[in-house]
Amino acid sequence: MTQIRSLAGMILFLLLSFTTACELGLGEESHTVGGNKSGPIWPWQIYQSAPYNPPELEINSNGEAMAEGLLLFTPSNFRPVESVKESAPLIMTDQGQLVWNGPNGNVTNLRATFYKGLPVLTYWAGLSTEGANIGHGYGNVTFLDTSYREILTVCPKFGLVIPEGKQYPCEADFHESFVTDRNTLLVSAYNATPADLSVIGGPRQGWIFDSIVFEIDPKSQKILFRWSAFEHVPITQTKYPLQGTGNKTPPFDYFHVNSIINVGESFLVNARHTWSTYLISAKGEIQWTLQGETGGDFGSLPDKGRFVSQAFLFNLLENFPMLMVFLSGVQKWQHHAVARNITESSISISYFDNFASAPDNGSRPSNGLELQLSLPPDKLRSPQVVQYLSDPTEPIYDESQGSMQILENRNVFLDFGQIPIMKEFSPGYSSSSAARWTARFGKDNRVQSYRGFKQQWHATPSYRPSLVVKRNETAGGCITGYVSWNGATDVTAWEIWEGSNQKYLSKTGRIHHRGFETKFHIRETCAQAVALQGEKVARKSPVACAS
């Protein structure tokens, strides 16, 4: 009798365990992590319902107020060694949850903007060059609407001369793809051009990369404006050493445009290799120049307002090529010039100020910099530093790339380019405040994101959610479901239906939306998940059955 009671108790225990294990519950966030930080590839997230592998963010936060918004960035391998599991445009939360994983490929400059009054995502995709043509790109610019439908692909053919006679289907460079408030697209391009370089110690019959600015109608792809640096800026203004370039292969990149925006009818053009930012009129004339060492058409810059290292060092390096090889990491100059607070009497310009690198022992780390300039330009009036932001707890020396963004709550967001780190700072002039938030997504100088932004973005995909159901042998044979909807930003809950086959399902209940992928349990073999936005049905997944 005792044995019978024990057996009955065991059966009852197993039944209760099965019932508890198979309860729908409230839903759980679901992802695992592949790899480890000591391995060659930075750790990546793994999902059951989707094939994506975004990086696992290493996040530090001091708990101070953050700006609202999502992270938009494009992690990829910096060197030709696999260091990131997947190269793709990504949208993630500042807690490290994936929101949208775009198509695999070489992508830069993902951002949310407006086109003809409607919110869109834009990004550049194509080939980034190496060898004789290192540091440039040839590709297209994609426009996606809030359902992730591709509404435009801008694939310009400019008739560029490309080293080694190469040709590419599309010729927009990766450095800029900016949608203006007049519904046009600004892109950069590099054209190999014959030039006399004898004035800077190069060949008389030499070659340069001419940085060209194009304004394009995205729909018709008609060129509306063209500006050539070579036609307006003397080669003698370069601060970049020849370093054995200046021939047809490789040409000398004397200007190196890396950002373009419109300021009314004019254009703000930033050049890394002349340490300068130019305001260009609609007729192509240079209206003024802000030079990062001298001030250019403005007064001399204050110490923290200089976004270059000292000139004598580069003159020294140019005269001693072997020293140049040893200290080749010191040439880090400003990126991502953005104008704001524009009036008739002043303008503010923010930069990602690369400034220096690790070999410059004791020099200034890379930083976020905002300058206020008085208008019209006057050499008697010096620009003023509005913001200078660098984290003293983690000085970063970034040789290339990067972006600075002033957020809606006045916080400042920095992406460190070839150093795979993003930071959010408190607003204001502060050279000694640690960042409020930091995220790392790779190893230094192995993983990069050309720019990174924190922006508002709301989207409901046109495609259906993804659902996978599997038998869970460790939970008494009940079924586990995994549901995700790549790119959906406003799902609040999932309504779960289940049944013994695909045709006959009944509603089981509702679970919370838990990050990119939500896990739940059911008793039956088949299930369907319905995405809810509040009480509104947004989309239903296909029915999935466990095998």
Side-chain angles (χ1 to χ4, degrees):
M1 181 66 89
T2 301
Q3 290 179 337
I4 294 173
R5 287 176 180 171
S6 299
L7 181 61
M10 184 177 296
I11 293 172
L12 179 61
F13 173 77
L14 290 173
L15 286 172
L16 289 172
S17 298
F18 176 79
T19 301
T20 303
C22 295
E23 287 291 336
L24 181 64
L26 298 176
E28 306 169 47
E29 189 276 331
S30 172
H31 82 271
T32 56
V33 177
N36 57 71
K37 294 175 188 175
S38 62
I41 301 176
W42 184 260
W44 62 92
Q45 298 184 16
I46 300 170
Y47 303 100
Q48 299 297 317
S49 61
Y52 309 124
N53 298 125
E56 178 78 354
L57 300 188
E58 181 182 272
I59 296 172
N60 289 296
S61 175
N62 67 7
E64 292 186 59
M66 303 274 288
E68 293 184 1
L70 299 170
L71 311 176
L72 285 75
F73 64 118
T74 56
S76 65
N77 297 312
F78 177 64
R79 304 191 186 282
V81 177
E82 187 179 8
S83 302
V84 62
K85 188 66 173 178
E86 179 183 33
S87 295
L90 298 179
I91 301 177
M92 300 184 77
T93 71
D94 56 21
Q95 299 299 310
Q97 286 288 333
L98 180 64
V99 175
W100 178 70
N101 202 119
N104 289 357
N106 186 39
V107 174
T108 67
N109 222 18
L110 172 69
R111 59 181 149 198
T113 186
F114 288 88
Y115 176 65
K116 295 190 174 180
L118 298 174
V120 294
L121 286 180
T122 62
Y123 60 85
W124 177 93
L127 174 74
S128 296
T129 54
E130 298 290 342
N133 191 10
I134 190 169
H136 306 136
Y138 301 89
N140 60 62
V141 181
T142 298
F143 287 60
L144 303 179
D145 66 14
T146 55
S147 67
Y148 300 98
R149 290 189 179 96
E150 189 172 305
I151 57 173
L152 288 170
T153 299
V154 182
C155 177
K157 289 290 287 185
F158 299 129
L160 300 178
V161 177
I162 301 172
E164 301 173 334
K166 292 185 178 180
Q167 294 185 347
Y168 300 98
C170 309
E171 294 181 340
D173 171 59
F174 68 76
H175 285 92
E176 192 57 271
S177 51
F178 180 80
V179 179
T180 71
D181 53 9
R182 52 181 178 255
N183 299 312
T184 61
L185 177 67
L186 299 177
V187 298
S188 52
Y190 287 85
N191 188 47
T193 305
D196 182 357
L197 299 178
S198 60
V199 291
I200 57 170
R204 187 172 298 277
Q205 295 182 330
W207 284 76
I208 62 162
F209 279 115
D210 184 13
S211 292
I212 303 180
V213 172
F214 287 101
E215 183 175 22
I216 301 171
D217 179 337
K219 189 171 184 180
S220 68
Q221 307 203 24
K222 178 182 178 181
I223 296 173
L224 306 174
F225 175 84
R226 176 190 178 277
W227 185 83
S228 156
F230 186 44
E231 293 171 6
H232 296 88
V233 180
I235 291 173
T236 52
Q237 289 191 13
T238 191
K239 302 297 181 180
Y240 198 72
L242 279 165
Q243 286 184 277
T245 67
N247 303 302
K248 195 168 186 179
T249 304
F252 176 48
D253 191 0
Y254 90 100
F255 189 84
H256 197 84
V257 60
N258 62 20
S259 73
I260 314 159
I261 66 168
N262 71 301
V263 179
E265 297 299 315
S266 301
F267 304 92
L268 193 71
V269 176
N270 191 66
R272 180 178 188 261
H273 293 174
T274 63
W275 304 345
S276 298
T277 304
Y278 306 85
L279 187 69
I280 312 298
S281 74
K283 294 182 179 179
E285 300 166 345
I286 297 177
Q287 296 174 280
W288 50 253
T289 302
L290 174 64
Q291 210 273 350
E293 182 186 28
T294 66
D297 293 326
F298 299 86
S300 60
L301 292 165
D303 178 57
K304 282 190 168 62
R306 292 177 182 166
F307 44 80
V308 298
S309 199
Q310 296 299 319
F312 78 87
L313 176 60
F314 296 99
N315 292 332
L316 176 68
L317 292 174
E318 195 166 7
N319 291 327
F320 295 92
M322 291 307 294
L323 187 58
M324 173 65 77
V325 172
F326 179 69
L327 293 179
S328 60
V330 302
Q331 296 161 41
K332 268 63 64 187
W333 298 299
Q334 81 286 352
H335 284 75
H336 197 225
V338 177
R340 53 194 309 276
N341 296 334
I342 304 164
T343 69
E344 291 185 358
S345 60
S346 68
I347 183 173
S348 292
I349 303 177
S350 63
Y351 295 94
F352 182 82
D353 175 17
N354 300 78
F355 194 82
S357 69
D360 295 311
N361 189 23
S363 71
R364 202 165 74 217
S366 301
N367 58 84
L369 176 66
E370 183 182 5
L371 299 174
Q372 185 176 48
L373 308 145
S374 297
L375 297 177
D378 186 342
K379 287 184 176 290
L380 298 178
R381 293 186 294 179
S382 295
Q384 301 299 308
V385 176
V386 179
Q387 299 196 82
Y388 172 83
L389 298 163
S390 178
D391 189 339
T393 67
E394 188 179 26
I396 297 173
Y397 301 88
D398 176 20
E399 297 185 14
S400 69
Q401 311 169 62
S403 58
M404 173 179 174
Q405 178 192 7
I406 299 175
L407 303 171
E408 292 179 2
N409 70 344
R410 295 286 302 163
N411 280 5
V412 177
F413 189 80
L414 298 185
D415 169 270
F416 284 81
Q418 77 173 64
I419 305 298
I421 289 175
M422 298 177 284
K423 287 179 178 286
E424 185 171 333
F425 288 86
S426 304
Y429 186 98
S430 176
S431 59
S432 60
S433 296
R436 293 185 176 188
W437 173 93
T438 299
R440 174 179 284 277
F441 53 93
K443 295 181 179 180
D444 289 355
N445 303 307
R446 297 284 298 274
V447 177
Q448 65 185 345
S449 179
Y450 172 63
R451 289 175 179 165
F453 300 98
K454 190 174 190 182
Q455 296 181 286
Q456 299 281 355
W457 174 249
H458 295 276
T460 300
S462 59
Y463 42 84
R464 302 173 75 179
S466 176
L467 174 65
V468 168
V469 293
K470 295 183 176 182
R471 290 192 185 278
N472 190 344
E473 299 299 336
T474 62
C478 64
I479 308 298
T480 301
Y482 304 87
V483 61
S484 62
W485 196 9
N486 185 36
T489 60
D490 300 314
V491 175
T492 56
W494 294 99
E495 190 176 82
I496 305 301
W497 293 61
E498 62 177 295
S500 58
N501 59 61
Q502 294 188 13
K503 293 184 178 180
Y504 300 102
L505 303 175
S506 59
K507 185 167 70 174
T508 301
R510 182 180 295 193
I511 59 174
H512 294 302
H513 176 264
R514 304 285 194 183
F516 181 78
E517 183 176 77
T518 303
K519 180 172 73 171
F520 59 92
H521 302 290
I522 55 175
R523 296 186 179 88
E524 301 288 355
T525 305
C526 299
Q528 183 177 45
V530 180
L532 300 177
Q533 296 172 342
E535 296 301 316
K536 175 186 173 185
V537 173
R539 196 84 171 178
K540 298 178 181 180
S541 76
V543 176
C545 299
S547 57

